[in-house]
Amino acid sequence: MRVYADHAATTKMRASALKAYTDAANEFYGNPSSLHSEGQRAKEVLEDCRARIAALLGANANEIVFTSGGSEADNQALLSAAKWGALKGKKRIVSTAIEHHAVLHTLKKLEKEGYEVVLLPVGADGIVKVADAENAIDDNTCLVSVMLANNEIGTIQPVEEISKICLAKKVPFHTDAVQAVGHMPVNVQALGCDYLALSAHKFGGPRGVGALYARRGAPLYPLIEGGAQEKGKRAGTENLPAIVAMTVALEEAIAELPEVTKRVSAMRDRLIEGLEKVPHCALNGDRVHRLAGNVSFCFEGVEGESLLLYLDDMGVSASSGSACTSGSLDPSHVLLAIGRVHDVAHGSLRLTLDGTNTMEEVEYLLSAVPAVVEKVRSFSPVWRDLQEGKRSFIL
Ligand SMILES: *Cc1c(COP(=O)(O)O)cnc(C)c1O
């Protein structure tokens, strides 16, 4: 059996999206900027997609900018608000310690350019405290950025409460909703955000395409200069087949959301309950305020990389955290932020499910994962020290 349990890293394209992609590439090959019939037809399809994506998010069509994905959308939101801030003499940015690297690395760059970046801590539950956000915002703050759902531990952040504070203090608010869109209800009016980033390949669309929602009046500057596409906010000939496929994928994801959420969260809960029986392990992130498909654990006395390799041999595709940190030896910044010490953070395992997974696969995971943990522990010097009492258990 092969079980793909890494849907937070990327998803297989939905059949409907793949068909929409090839059909659009075939039929709407005109350049939307061209004046001839093929161009105008492509332009109509493009604007139809924009209206449909906007409707799904509770936005207006002219508030949607198509991008190359979540990273670009995050970059554009952050850099636009920062630029506006500099013009106003406000150079403080408030965000969180558990953001995706698309946000964190952009903030690092802004810090080098003289911005003051404040990263809010999270509790052991992996959730930022609203009061901390409120206290961190001052008159010099030009942007607050808090992700809606975390990509490693799946925790859902109190974005609505924080955006209310931002609105009252007239500070632009961005949310990286890449893990949330298509996986939980997302409405920009309810969230009260000024910017929101989404990415198609996290909900069964193609990779390399996403969108930035920017509320009317929110500062917005292009990252890419060139033609006047996207009303001058994003130059480059539009990736129409990908945009069409993203639209179809999101419509389908949202239509099936109630049924899928029920089924996937039942699989998640079964998996969590089963894995908790492994000795010396702990669930990462709050049990309730988490994405329907996210299961994240730390196993003490385990080296995460070996765990992943042996699991792959057993037919299980999993992750240690984010696809971006795996391959590096630094433990995940998210696990450190929830208080896991380095050794424990190294023994992390993330299993992310979606509607394509089955309960049968979950049962298989429940036999494979504990067996592999035991195997990896059997040749771990750290585990031996723990057994012999030369080190004490943390979990
Ligand atoms: C995947 C992801 C991104 C990056 O999106 P890409 O489309 O891969 O650039 C940003 N933020 C979060 C939370 C993600 O999970």
Side-chain angles (χ1 to χ4, degrees):
M1 191 181 231
R2 263 219 88 81
V3 181
Y4 184 77
D6 199 14
H7 287 102
T10 197
T11 60
K12 184 179 171 183
M13 245 167 108
R14 291 165 185 270
S16 57
L18 186 55
K19 181 169 188 310
Y21 185 97
T22 51
D23 286 353
N26 230 349
E27 292 167 37
F28 312 123
Y29 52 83
N31 186 323
S33 300
S34 300
L35 289 179
H36 48 61
S37 306
E38 290 88 343
Q40 288 314 294
R41 186 76 195 101
K43 174 89 182 154
E44 275 169 30
V45 173
L46 177 68
E47 293 315 316
D48 176 57
C49 288
R50 196 187 311 282
R52 285 155 66 190
I53 295 274
L56 293 169
L57 299 173
N60 294 314
N62 56 16
E63 296 172 313
I64 302 295
V65 178
F66 291 121
T67 67
S68 67
S71 299
E72 184 185 331
D74 279 330
N75 271 257
Q76 190 168 10
L78 267 47
L79 296 174
S80 290
K83 182 168 175 174
W84 169 85
L87 296 171
K88 297 263 168 190
K90 297 173 187 240
K91 296 187 82 173
R92 180 177 164 99
I93 300 172
V94 176
S95 188
T96 81
I98 60 164
E99 297 297 310
H100 188 272
H101 284 137
V103 169
L104 285 181
H105 289 172
T106 306
L107 294 178
K108 262 271 164 309
K109 178 171 109 167
L110 287 169
E111 204 167 33
K112 286 199 189 108
E113 290 172 10
Y115 288 81
E116 181 196 1
V117 175
V118 180
L119 296 182
L120 304 172
V122 292
D125 58 1
I127 297 175
V128 65
K129 290 180 182 60
V130 177
D132 285 348
E134 181 155 30
N135 293 334
I137 302 168
D138 68 8
D139 291 344
N140 283 322
T141 307
C142 62
L143 173 69
V144 175
S145 181
V146 178
M147 71 196 323
L148 184 48
N150 182 267
N151 47 299
E152 292 188 38
I153 59 174
T155 48
I156 295 165
Q157 304 301 318
V159 160
E160 290 182 28
E161 289 93 321
I162 296 172
S163 80
K164 279 203 188 87
I165 296 164
C166 292
L167 181 67
K169 299 194 179 199
K170 297 193 170 62
V171 178
F173 177 77
H174 168 59
T175 189
D176 174 345
V178 173
Q179 286 292 329
V181 172
H183 299 279
M184 60 182 265
V186 172
N187 179 295
V188 294
Q189 308 309 335
L191 291 174
C193 53
D194 297 294
Y195 305 97
L196 177 144
L198 65 88
S199 174
H201 75 97
K202 302 289 174 74
F203 53 77
R207 54 212 69 184
V209 65
L212 172 64
Y213 159 78
R215 186 179 295 279
R216 211 178 91 102
L220 191 61
Y221 301 96
L223 292 183
I224 299 174
E225 304 287 349
Q229 293 92 352
E230 301 295 294
K231 296 213 173 75
K233 301 304 183 207
R234 206 280 181 180
T237 304
E238 301 86 346
N239 188 352
L240 191 58
I243 291 168
V244 171
M246 167 166 71
T247 306
V248 167
L250 189 54
E251 281 175 346
E252 189 173 281
I254 291 177
E256 66 183 32
L257 193 57
E259 182 269 322
V260 168
T261 305
K262 221 171 118 189
R263 198 156 44 80
V264 173
S265 55
M267 292 192 276
R268 171 199 65 191
D269 293 343
R270 169 95 184 96
L271 199 46
I272 290 176
E273 278 157 29
L275 293 181
E276 268 175 346
K277 296 194 185 113
V278 174
H280 306 288
C281 76
L283 178 70
N284 296 315
D286 190 79
R287 182 135 192 173
V288 178
H289 296 103
R290 72 187 300 134
L291 288 168
N294 179 287
V295 175
S296 168
F297 271 89
C298 281
F299 298 97
E300 200 162 6
V302 165
E303 212 270 299
E305 301 270 297
S306 327
L307 193 59
L308 294 184
L309 295 177
Y310 283 104
L311 278 173
D312 191 36
D313 279 348
M314 297 271 290
V316 175
S317 305
S319 158
S320 56
S322 82
C324 324
T325 30
S326 41
S328 92
L329 282 174
D330 295 333
S332 140
H333 64 284
V334 176
L335 297 176
L336 295 179
I338 64 169
R340 301 278 182 238
V341 298
H342 280 234
D343 274 357
V344 170
H346 270 302
S348 63
L349 177 69
R350 181 187 72 178
L351 299 162
T352 44
L353 309 172
D354 77 2
T356 63
N357 291 110
T358 65
M359 202 48 114
E360 246 179 299
E361 292 178 340
V362 168
E363 296 307 326
Y364 182 71
L365 292 174
L366 285 173
S367 70
V369 175
V372 172
V373 168
E374 199 176 307
K375 179 173 183 163
V376 173
R377 278 176 172 168
S378 73
F379 45 69
S380 153
V382 174
W383 182 250
R384 198 188 50 221
D385 286 355
L386 287 162
Q387 292 295 305
E388 292 172 358
K390 290 182 186 151
R391 278 171 189 251
S392 38
F393 281 106
I394 296 164
L395 301 180

